[in-house]
Amino acid sequence: MLSVFGDESHDAAKKRVFVVAGLLGNSETWAELRAKWKDRLREGLIFHAADCESGHGDFKDMPEAERLQLHLDLTEIVANSKLMGYGHAIDLAGCHRVAPHLLKQFPDMPHYDCFVKTVGYLSDLARMFVPRDRVEFTFDQHKETQYNAGLLYDWLSHYKNEVVEQVSFGTRREPGIQAADIWARELMKRFDTHLFNQKAKPRPQWNTLLNTRRFRFKFILGDQLRRDMDQAAESYQASDELHDEYERWRGQHKLVDNLSNRFRWFAMKDTTKTVGESSK
């Protein structure tokens, strides 16, 4: 059985960048990571990248040098494993600039788009494994994620049922979620500096992961998200077939007709896989 563990990440104010990212591997790869993770962490300590960096939570009494080394060592464990990663990042600041009314009315839209695109990419990546096997997804528990879980299950059963075994939500006691937290945070930090501080150098953790060539990602700028939303609205109006399919999906879930639900539906149908960092 293949497994994906995933997490989300965002800036402190939740106004600049939002990311959903996951790590894919087989049972042997995850078993090796868990063993090395347990050996490196102090007994009973649950790793959280943001707290480790800032010295908060369980890391408040740990010296800064020790915290930094722990973060680097755990990143090396992820990099030295055979895990493959993907993450989807959205420019929240740009979205607020080009469509402030939309995000005010539908604040969960960026999360849903990132979540669906990440699951879709990793589902397709799992098809390439030899021998081929089904994949289980486990994400960290977040209200935003679980709010949309019903719609995601429906999409998976309709479009990815031959590869996806199940989607569930776990806690940070699972080392797989802690490892995914590192990947999600590094992608968030890289995108944040890419947009708002281009003079900043990539972090060592970022370079460690990217140098493996097993970690892919996509950055969506605010203007692109707006174009995607406009395309969803135009396609809905132009195609009777899409209109009927959308109406059946909407009726099944008892949803109102609005741009947010149209966009969600198009996001679920989209299987385009474009990866790589923006050249900006």
Side-chain angles (χ1 to χ4, degrees), residues 53 184-194 203:
E53 284 191 45
R185 182 165 177 80
E186 289 312 311
L187 180 56
M188 184 276 292
K189 297 294 283 189
R190 182 68 190 99
F191 192 24
D192 190 63
T193 57
H194 173 73
R203 290 150 57 99

Side-chain angles (χ1 to χ4, degrees), residues 181-210:
D181 176 42
I182 287 180
W183 167 224
R185 182 165 177 80
E186 289 312 311
L187 180 56
M188 184 276 292
K189 297 294 283 189
R190 182 68 190 99
F191 192 24
D192 190 63
T193 57
H194 173 73
L195 287 175
F196 303 107
N197 185 12
Q198 295 187 21
K199 294 183 179 180
K201 295 181 179 180
R203 290 150 57 99
Q205 295 93 329
W206 173 259
N207 290 332
T208 295
L209 294 172
L210 264 289

